[in-house]
Amino acid sequence: MPARLSVDGTLVTLDEPCPGTAYFAADRAIIALKVNGELKDLATDLTTLDGAEVEPVRIDSPDGLNILRHSATHVLAQAVQQIYPDANLGIGPFIEDGFYYDFGNIDPVTPEMLKELEKRMKRIVKENQRFVRREITEEEARQEEASQPYKLELITTKGHDADGASVEVGHGGLTMYDNVNRHGDVVWTDLCRGPHLPSTKFIGNGFALTRASAAYWKGDQNNDHLQRIYGTAWPSKEELDAYQTRIAEAQRRDHRRLGTELDLFSFPDEIGSGLPVFHPKGGIIRMEMENYSRQRHIEAGYDFVNTPHITKGQLFQTSGHLSWYKDGMFPAMRVDEDQDYYLKPMNCPMHSLIYKARGRSYRDLPLRLFEFGTVYRYEKSGVIHGLTRARGFTQDDAHIYTTREQMREELSSLLTFVLSLLKDYGLNDFYLELSTKDPKKFIGDDDLWEEATRTLEEVALSSGLELVPDPEGAAFYGPKISVQARDAIGRTWQMSTIQLDFNLPERFGLEYTAPDGSRQRPVMIHRALFGSIERFLGVLVEHYAGAFPAWLAPVQVRLVPVAETFNDYCEDIARRLREQHIRAEVDTSDDRFGKKIRNAAKEKIPFTLIAGGDDVDAGAVSFRFRDGEQHNGVAIDEAIAHIVDVVRRRANEPEAEKF
């Protein structure tokens, strides 16, 4: 039966010999094929694919971008071996927005070397070298890669390394990719699964090398020390430029840099990696975030609880966490002679004990328990990233216990509550992700999992938001919905998670008395709204680029006297603002007037009030906003009323802070 080619949704039957490169020669955007869902090189002979359904892969599709980036890694490795012929080649996978390749037996990579490598890559691209696939036996591969120790190891392990990369070997055996020049000579070769672009020319000028770092073979510190070179590749120079602009803006907004510049938080070496301390200004922001969240939770009918930071290990054996997550927990402490204690990595087992502390009736449900609970997780040092990936953090954690009949309505109202509260902090662009059961890591009954997953899916779809599948991404005890939020520059952050759990109530023996007097199991809903206070603050720093809306800003008003003579006038206005619970301060430093104004702007203070002789005579101030817009001669009462109104409205957009 001939292959069937799907072109723009239309199936075309192919009867004559036809490689994809010939069929799609007129459309350079098509760079590979998908045969029955499996990616293949464009040079594949379509008529040899008996009965297969074939789709073209465009370079700007997700699969096409991955192929482009993986092909760029081969060009990078070829350029490296032009400088270091004896370089040992590691792995070279595509990653999000780019690629990297690991090298042994080369000098430490400098910025100058990156520039030289990029020049050589551009020459290779212009040479229009074809990527030619060939199958070889394991013995042949060993002979060809005899001088490459890492490739020899990959041949033995069938291409799987510690980071999960499996880009080196084909499913049915081993494959090599040769780079062939216009004269038909093989100029470079690498062990690789593929597929690749038809030739290097398809890489174009939309690539760049970005940085280098140290690495270890297979990610193991006991293995060889390597040099890892990173790059990015896009279908066009314009897309590369746009990406580099986004990266530059992201760096400008990096919460770690802004946290230092704005004196919000730090990570002292004396305390340890991933354990932040909050300075007074950061503490104010955190307090405001927590206070408003508490207010909203009270209005929504939550009960506040508190639990300790350590517990006997038996609690996590009962919950199942010790079996599944022990490697992510800090080592046990021996507090009693015969009992190990653990720093808690989550709050749910303790909340279940609170539920179990007394008898429950259906009239008590839904029971919504809420805690700002600090937890500790032993994250590897390589993944720690400021506030957004820490070892100690405080979850705004809630566990809701409902009847089966209440479950769907509770989930629906919970999702509405979550989205509403996130919007109050200035995030407005969302989609949802549904994480389903990992067949290798779950507890409980399949039917209950199916019911839980179906219920979450129905609730998610009824919200009207886009729903994206996350296969096998659930925790071991139940499926979840996660709220994904896009920030001011379009990046996606995972925010709130809502998990439906039939299993922990069973493991803890939780019950309630039903209307007919029978004892029934409640359903448990796990919910972290911010995820953690620390992480959410890091996201907000980057979303607002440090220019927090007035209600969250650590200093809301800075008063700047034109001369020392007017200090008392400014202090009196600051006192009146503080009486209205506005965070106001007077700059009485020895700095010149112009520097005081610049300092207020640099510190991203929402409102700067300036007072000189004319202002004192008129009972007024000059009112200056963050963007430099200034209104002179504003009456004190009017200025105070406007500031109080903006703060109490919790306005998040800069224009909403203006007169």
Side-chain angles (χ1 to χ4, degrees):
M1 177 181 175
R4 295 178 300 162
L5 177 64
S6 175
V7 182
D8 296 329
T10 302
L11 288 176
V12 179
T13 301
L14 300 165
D15 297 314
E16 297 297 327
C18 180
T21 45
Y23 194 93
F24 294 108
D27 190 345
R28 282 182 53 84
I30 295 173
I31 50 85
L33 303 173
K34 185 173 281 188
V35 180
N36 291 336
E38 185 177 352
L39 292 170
K40 299 282 188 181
D41 291 306
L42 189 61
T44 303
D45 187 346
L46 302 177
T47 52
T48 64
L49 306 174
D50 189 28
E53 186 165 322
V54 183
E55 300 174 75
V57 175
R58 299 181 62 85
I59 196 169
D60 56 358
S61 68
D63 286 331
L65 286 170
N66 290 340
I67 293 169
L68 164 66
R69 289 160 184 165
H70 185 44
S71 299
T73 69
H74 278 225
V75 174
L76 166 61
Q78 183 179 350
V80 168
Q81 287 199 315
Q82 288 178 356
I83 301 175
Y84 299 101
D86 296 327
N88 293 328
L89 304 180
I91 61 170
F94 58 80
I95 55 176
E96 184 178 0
D97 291 340
F99 59 87
Y100 70 79
Y101 209 115
D102 288 342
F103 302 95
N105 199 30
I106 69 171
D107 294 336
V109 179
T110 62
E112 292 72 26
M113 186 191 295
L114 288 180
K115 291 179 182 178
E116 175 60 26
L117 288 171
E118 204 170 286
K119 288 179 184 178
R120 290 173 180 265
M121 289 177 69
K122 289 177 180 177
R123 287 199 291 268
I124 294 169
V125 167
K126 289 180 180 178
E127 288 173 8
N128 197 21
Q129 298 175 9
R130 289 183 295 121
F131 290 99
V132 179
R133 180 181 184 270
R134 59 185 168 91
E135 296 183 2
I136 58 173
T137 66
E138 185 170 325
E139 183 56 34
E140 289 170 336
R142 289 184 179 281
Q143 292 176 7
E144 291 199 34
E145 299 288 5
S147 64
Q148 291 292 330
Y150 307 130
K151 298 298 184 182
L152 288 173
E153 187 173 337
L154 291 172
I155 292 168
T156 301
T157 60
K158 299 302 181 187
H160 295 283
D161 71 283
D163 294 324
S166 54
V167 296
E168 305 300 328
V169 209
H171 293 301
L174 302 179
T175 56
M176 302 291 291
Y177 272 83
D178 299 328
N179 284 29
V180 179
N181 66 19
R182 62 174 60 91
H183 305 296
D185 301 321
V186 176
V187 294
W188 192 78
T189 190
D190 197 6
L191 180 73
C192 184
R193 171 185 298 174
H196 280 285
L197 298 171
S199 76
T200 60
K201 194 171 183 179
F202 282 74
I203 295 175
N205 58 2
F207 73 92
L209 298 182
T210 54
R211 63 187 177 94
S213 71
Y216 295 95
W217 174 235
K218 292 190 172 182
D220 188 338
Q221 294 183 10
N222 296 316
N223 288 340
D224 291 353
H225 187 278
L226 306 176
Q227 293 288 305
R228 178 170 292 179
I229 300 176
Y230 289 89
T232 187
W234 299 84
S236 68
K237 181 66 163 59
E238 292 73 22
E239 288 165 282
L240 172 65
D241 291 343
Y243 168 75
Q244 291 175 325
T245 299
R246 291 196 304 272
I247 292 300
E249 179 61 20
Q251 291 172 344
R252 186 181 74 84
R253 292 169 177 262
D254 191 313
H255 73 278
R256 296 167 298 177
R257 181 179 64 81
L258 288 171
T260 299
E261 290 180 3
L262 299 176
D263 194 22
L264 303 179
F265 51 81
S266 61
F267 297 87
D269 290 337
E270 296 86 345
I271 293 177
S273 180
L275 299 169
V277 296
F278 285 83
H279 302 189
K281 290 181 179 179
I284 285 289
I285 300 171
R286 181 170 176 152
M287 181 190 72
E288 286 289 351
M289 291 169 59
E290 292 181 1
N291 285 348
Y292 183 60
S293 177
R294 286 190 179 94
Q295 175 189 327
R296 289 293 310 273
H297 279 83
I298 291 170
E299 294 168 356
Y302 284 78
D303 294 308
F304 287 71
V305 297
N306 284 285
T307 58
H309 292 234
I310 65 171
T311 179
K312 292 179 180 178
Q314 180 60 45
L315 179 65
F316 296 118
Q317 289 176 353
T318 300
S319 68
H321 289 97
L322 205 57
S323 300
W324 296 107
Y325 291 131
K326 187 174 182 179
D327 289 344
M329 298 167 64
F330 277 92
M333 298 174 284
R334 183 55 58 91
V335 178
D336 298 330
E337 289 184 3
D338 60 347
Q339 185 63 248
D340 285 340
Y341 282 69
Y342 285 89
L343 288 169
K344 65 174 178 178
M346 66 285 298
N347 303 296
C348 43
M350 294 185 181
H351 288 190
S352 291
L353 294 182
I354 293 172
Y355 178 97
K356 195 178 180 179
R358 67 174 181 83
R360 303 288 178 181
S361 162
Y362 72 93
R363 293 186 179 90
D364 298 322
L365 305 183
L367 177 66
R368 307 180 184 100
L369 302 182
F370 176 83
E371 175 181 16
F372 283 113
T374 301
V375 299
Y376 305 90
R377 297 182 184 174
Y378 185 62
E379 300 283 8
K380 292 183 178 179
S381 58
V383 301
I384 291 172
H385 186 83
L387 297 180
T388 58
R389 192 75 179 262
R391 285 176 170 163
F393 51 91
T394 303
Q395 292 184 311
D396 59 329
D397 216 0
H399 294 93
I400 303 166
Y401 302 86
T402 78
T403 68
R404 272 305 239 287
E405 294 74 23
Q406 296 168 329
M407 175 177 67
R408 194 186 188 287
E409 181 180 350
E410 186 67 19
L411 286 167
S412 182
S413 63
L414 175 56
L415 182 57
T416 299
F417 174 70
V418 163
L419 294 173
S420 170
L421 191 51
L422 290 175
K423 289 177 182 177
D424 287 347
Y425 289 88
L427 297 172
N428 296 288
D429 187 0
F430 307 109
Y431 68 91
L432 304 178
E433 196 171 76
L434 178 62
S435 300
T436 52
K437 181 178 68 178
D438 181 345
K440 297 178 181 178
K441 191 180 76 173
F442 77 98
I443 58 174
D445 181 81
D446 285 334
D447 291 339
L448 291 179
W449 270 87
E450 288 180 13
E451 179 183 354
T453 303
R454 184 173 61 254
T455 302
L456 281 177
E457 183 175 22
E458 291 171 358
V459 168
L461 290 172
S462 68
S463 72
L465 294 175
E466 177 189 3
L467 181 62
V468 175
D470 175 31
E472 303 182 6
F476 69 92
Y477 49 79
K480 72 176 178 181
I481 295 172
S482 58
V483 177
Q484 309 287 330
R486 298 181 181 91
D487 66 11
I489 59 174
R491 295 172 301 175
T492 298
W493 301 87
Q494 179 176 299
M495 292 283 100
S496 312
T497 57
I498 300 171
Q499 296 170 285
L500 191 53
D501 183 0
F502 292 99
N503 291 301
L504 287 190
E506 183 73 28
R507 295 177 75 92
F508 279 95
L510 306 185
E511 295 181 334
Y512 68 91
T513 303
D516 63 1
S518 63
R519 305 295 294 169
Q520 302 290 333
R521 290 266 186 257
V523 177
M524 185 176 180
I525 301 170
H526 304 247
R527 189 236 67 189
L529 200 153
F530 295 150
S532 80
I533 294 293
E534 291 81 359
R535 184 174 183 277
F536 192 62
L537 176 54
V539 171
L540 290 182
V541 170
E542 299 200 9
H543 177 63
Y544 289 114
F548 289 99
W551 72 279
L552 279 175
V555 178
Q556 295 166 322
V557 182
R558 171 77 55 81
L559 288 109
V560 179
V562 173
E564 186 177 350
T565 308
F566 310 112
N567 284 2
D568 289 343
Y569 182 77
C570 288
E571 291 285 3
D572 185 60
I573 298 172
R575 177 188 56 77
R576 292 180 58 184
L577 284 164
R578 294 186 196 112
E579 289 172 353
Q580 297 293 323
H581 306 291
I582 301 299
R583 295 184 288 276
E585 61 183 32
V586 180
D587 188 343
T588 57
S589 68
D590 293 332
D591 291 332
R592 293 180 179 274
F593 172 72
K595 190 171 189 301
K596 291 181 179 183
I597 298 298
R598 290 193 297 275
N599 287 343
K602 185 178 179 180
E603 294 173 37
K604 304 181 187 295
I605 294 171
F607 307 117
T608 301
L609 305 185
I610 304 166
D614 292 341
D615 297 301
V616 172
D617 293 341
V621 291
S622 292
F623 202 114
R624 187 179 180 88
F625 296 96
R626 268 186 285 219
D627 62 1
E629 179 182 323
Q630 183 168 314
H631 298 260
N632 298 324
V634 178
I636 294 174
D637 288 345
E638 182 184 352
I640 292 174
H642 178 74
I643 292 167
V644 170
D645 175 65
V646 169
V647 171
R648 290 181 180 170
R649 281 191 289 113
R650 293 187 172 84
N652 290 314
E653 298 300 324
E655 289 305 312
E657 297 179 352
K658 300 291 186 69
F659 285 115

